Amino acid sequence: QVQLVESGGGLVKPGGSLRLSCAASGFPFSSYAMSWYRQAPGKERELVAAISYITGRTNYVDSVKGRFTTSRDNARKTVYLQMNSLKPEDTAVYYCNAGWDSPTFRDWGQGTQVTVSS
């Protein structure tokens, strides 16, 4: 059974930083690209960042390039999202899933809320 457990969200002021984690289980983590999505109130879920499973190549949506960095620890079956220079428009629930440009698993974790506000 696939499980994706996101953590690390919170309330932060504009310009601040947060580090999100996603602990995965139930599938061969090291054989899958992993990705981060976010969903703001009233908006569709969007792909934010992805990391490949072999080379660790990364890709980001334009709005977070230069501010967000994703990484992975295959031994810990965990993927991370370091978010710097946060803006109010980054406020959303953040989720992880497997896959490079679309979600692999139908079921999502509970997500972690990120709120950027002064």
Side-chain angles (χ1 to χ4, degrees), residues 7 16 22 24 26 28 37 40 45-46 49 55-56 64 66 78 89-90 107 109 115-117:
S7 62
C22 169
Y37 294 78
R45 191 173 294 172
E46 69 166 340
T55 64
V64 308
T78 300
E89 50 263 44
D90 295 318
D107 295 329
T115 303
V116 185
S117 175

Side-chain angles (χ1 to χ4, degrees), residues 32-45:
Y32 282 79
M34 293 296 296
S35 47
W36 285 95
Y37 294 78
R38 67 185 179 187
Q39 187 166 22
K43 295 189 176 181
E44 292 188 355
R45 191 173 294 172

